[in-house]
Every structure is written in structure tokens, then in C-alpha cells.
Amino acid sequence: MQFAIYGAGGVGGYLGARLADAGHDVTLIARGDHLAALQSEGLRVDSVAGDTSVDVPATDDPASVGPVDYVVFTVKAYDTHDAAADLDPLVGPETTVLSFQNGVDNERWLAEEVGESHVAGGVAYIFSTIASPGVVEHTGGPARFVFGELDGSRTDRIETLYEALSGCDGVAAERADDVRVELWRKFAFICAQSGVTAAARLPIGRVRETQPTWEMYRRIIEEVVTVARAKEIELSTETVSEWLEFAEDLDPDMTSSLYYDLEHGNQLELDALNGAVVRHGEETGIDVPMNEAVHAILRPWADDRD
């Protein structure tokens, strides 16, 4: 099958390499130094699940690719609107645009550009990043990818994608019964993990040792769960305890992508994470003081880098 990986960073680059290894036709869409390295040297993945190197086409021009079966859309959330506006050359009548991004609004933004019928949602459980131009480093996480139709239906295109991803080494594919639940479930965790580690500039080990900060972590998850339920997203009553137990088992030095971007002077996904909780809280009439605090603390850095 034909795949375009739109945003060949930590998540997209990892999936693109695994799909190429499995024999699929993959084109990487990237930019800057990373694109130059992909074009000259190919893509290397250093992974706890097994290293690989692939030499596949890479470009910054979707028009040079043409329609594909699947667009795996993995850009940072702050680039969603601009990138979505450039998808038309990749989208034919049967193309599926599958988002594996942080946040709960990207699928709606994509649908506004390419039409809701083309869009499917997904979540990625993987710790990976661009280690250097042309090199993606996968340091942990189950490399589990959960995806499905936005209306909860089971379709041929989801089954076909499941078969393709299940045939890839280093990928655990899972079909979602309700992908909206999956999106908000992960959202609850990453808002806490990203918000607290970045706002406090603490790795997870020190967050656990600092009781007021650990309490803030718990309350952020609780706020997201409450907002989700107000939006009729039926998250399990065990969501808070499950994520706290999960965080307890993380490597003590684990931080978050938001922390990484803050420390390295990169643009921040703040508006798609804690900022989105604040917006959805206002829409549903739910108070979210912990997410408001994180948003306020990090807002000056986010504004400075927009």
C-alpha cells in the first residue's frame, strides 16, 4: 500500500521506517535539516525494539507525491492547520488521513480541510524523537498505536490498516472501539506529564518525591476526566488511578516532549494540551484550576516562540 508520512519526526519517522521494512510504499514529508538528511542518507531508527535503516523518498512538496492510500499525519499540533491546508494533492477519493498527534482537536481541524469522511483518529504510545537530522531515537514505551473511525464504526479501511501495521516489526497495532475515548484517555495523561514536568522543570522521579507537585499531577488528570465526561466522552472511573500507577513505574528521569521543547528553545504545544483543557472547560462550565495554572506559567515561553 501507499503511505505518505506527513511529519517524519519521532512518531512519523518510526512508523514510516517500520512500514517500509514491511514492504509498503512509503514517502516521508519533512522539512529543514531533517529533510536534507533523509534525502542524502536515508532514515535511521535507533530503537529499543530493534534498529533499522531505510532509504525511501522524502520531500517537502506533497504535490510531487500525489494521492496515496493513507496519510499518516504526525505533525506537531500547532502546525495542524497549515499542514492540513497542504494535504489536497495527497488525498484521493479513497484516501484516509490518520492523525497520531497530541491533543483532542486535531481530527476536527483536519476534517475542516479535507472532509470528515477522510479522517480517522489515533493515539501513539511511544517515547521517540529526532535525535539528529535523519535519525529517530525510540527510547521506550510499548510502540502501541490505537486507531479507529471517529464515529466508532468498524470499516474496511481500518481493518486494512490494522493488517498493515500488525505486519510491522516493532509495532503493536490495536483497533479502538471508540477512538474518542482513547484520545481523551491519553490526553489526560499527557496534560499531566507534559504540564507538570515542564512547568516545574522536574523529571518524573522528582515529581513523585515532591508531594504538592504530585498532587497537582493527580488533579490535572482529574480535571481532564471531568471535562471529558461533561462532553459525553465516557472515560473509565479507573482512569486517574491507572495513570498514576503508570507514572509511578516510569523511569525516574522521564520528562515529556513539552519539557524537551521548552529546554531546547522549540515552539510549544501548550495550546493543544493544557490550553485546550482550559478552552473545553470554559465550554462545558467545568473549573480546571490546575490546568489554568500550568497554562499561565508556561504562556510567556509559548508566546515568545510562536
Side-chain angles (χ1 to χ4, degrees), residues 39-291:
Q39 290 174 328
S40 63
E41 302 174 18
L43 170 63
R44 190 177 92 224
V45 174
D46 296 335
S47 169
V48 294
D51 300 342
T52 188
S53 295
V54 297
D55 187 6
V56 297
T59 183
D60 59 359
D61 180 15
S64 70
V65 182
V68 295
D69 297 312
Y70 293 92
V71 177
V72 178
F73 194 79
T74 52
V75 303
K76 291 284 192 177
Y78 49 71
D79 282 333
T80 296
H81 288 288
D82 289 342
D86 292 334
L87 286 177
D88 279 351
L90 300 172
V91 179
E94 304 299 324
T95 300
T96 302
V97 180
L98 174 64
S99 166
F100 283 121
Q101 297 172 271
N102 289 333
V104 293
D105 298 310
N106 297 292
E107 289 77 11
R108 173 169 56 83
W109 296 336
L110 281 169
E112 290 171 356
E113 291 291 341
V114 302
E116 188 170 351
S117 64
H118 287 287
V119 180
V123 297
Y125 292 101
I126 183 172
F127 298 119
S128 57
T129 189
I130 297 176
S132 60
V135 180
V136 166
E137 184 177 24
H138 167 216
T139 57
R144 183 165 68 97
F145 297 85
V146 187
F147 51 91
E149 299 288 1
L150 300 178
D151 63 3
S153 61
R154 188 63 61 84
T155 60
D156 288 343
R157 68 184 186 178
I158 293 299
E159 292 299 314
T160 301
L161 180 62
Y162 173 75
E163 292 173 5
L165 291 178
S166 295
C168 296
D169 291 338
V171 173
E174 183 177 329
R175 293 159 293 192
D177 292 327
D178 187 338
V179 77
R180 298 177 306 155
V181 170
E182 299 295 337
L183 288 165
W184 277 87
R185 183 174 184 275
K186 183 185 177 185
F187 187 55
F189 169 70
I190 57 175
C191 284
Q193 178 80 352
S194 295
V196 173
T197 59
R201 283 197 163 105
L202 295 171
I204 190 64
R206 291 177 61 195
V207 169
R208 288 198 298 264
E209 294 167 5
T210 310
Q211 289 306 313
T213 307
W214 189 240
E215 176 67 9
M216 187 177 185
Y217 194 103
R218 179 185 65 79
R219 288 183 60 188
I220 288 175
I221 299 175
E222 290 178 341
E223 289 176 4
V224 177
V225 170
T226 301
V227 170
R229 289 177 180 159
K231 296 178 69 68
E232 299 183 347
I233 309 295
E234 297 301 324
L235 292 182
S236 164
T237 57
E238 306 299 320
T239 300
V240 177
S241 60
E242 288 174 352
W243 279 134
L244 289 174
E245 290 173 10
F246 177 80
E248 286 276 10
D249 292 334
L250 289 175
D251 186 297
D253 294 327
M254 189 66 68
T255 53
S256 65
S257 60
L258 192 68
Y259 177 99
Y260 179 92
D261 288 337
L262 181 65
E263 293 298 296
H264 288 79
N266 300 330
Q267 192 171 348
L268 303 181
E269 285 188 303
L270 182 64
D271 280 341
L273 298 175
N274 305 92
V277 181
V278 174
R279 291 195 303 275
H280 286 286
E282 291 173 350
E283 292 170 4
T284 56
I286 303 298
D287 291 332
V288 291
M290 291 299 100
N291 282 277

